[in-house]
Amino acid sequence: MDLVAVCTQFTVTAGRIVPNLRGEPYDDAERETILRGLARVRASADWIENAVTRGEVDLDEQLQKLLKGSGE
């Protein structure tokens, strides 16, 4: 149930915030920071999917670095 709650919270929060971004200017550094965060979100979602569908919960070294914010 924790995973359901996390997914719901993320989706609801994104649904509240994203529509208000229209016309927001982002410089290159801000854009890169956001894109790095999205890469972490995607990697986390893939990891969760593998845990639920295949029972694979181990993190490889690259995923560990990405989730910690120290690798792409």
Side-chain angles (χ1 to χ4, degrees), residues 1 7 9 13 15 17 24 26 28 31 37 39 41 44-45 47 50 52-55 57-58 62 64-66 70:
M1 292 312 298
C7 291
Q9 181 180 7
T13 302
I17 294 172
E24 282 290 319
Y26 296 101
D28 290 341
R31 191 174 301 107
V41 168
S44 296
W47 181 38
N50 282 328
V52 171
T53 60
R54 299 185 185 121
V57 297
D58 295 332
Q62 184 178 1
Q64 284 179 347
K65 287 180 181 179
L66 182 64
S70 59

Side-chain angles (χ1 to χ4, degrees), residues 4-68:
V4 172
V6 167
C7 291
T8 300
Q9 181 180 7
F10 178 82
T11 303
V12 168
T13 302
R16 181 176 44 84
I17 294 172
V18 173
N20 296 320
L21 299 180
R22 183 170 304 185
E24 282 290 319
Y26 296 101
D27 64 28
D28 290 341
E30 292 169 324
R31 191 174 301 107
E32 286 302 316
T33 299
I34 292 166
L35 294 176
R36 277 194 307 275
L38 287 171
R40 292 173 67 195
V41 168
R42 286 187 186 99
S44 296
D46 288 345
W47 181 38
I48 292 167
E49 183 176 2
N50 282 328
V52 171
T53 60
R54 299 185 185 121
E56 297 173 5
V57 297
D58 295 332
L59 288 171
D60 64 26
E61 186 177 331
Q62 184 178 1
L63 181 56
Q64 284 179 347
K65 287 180 181 179
L66 182 64
L67 294 178
K68 288 180 182 178

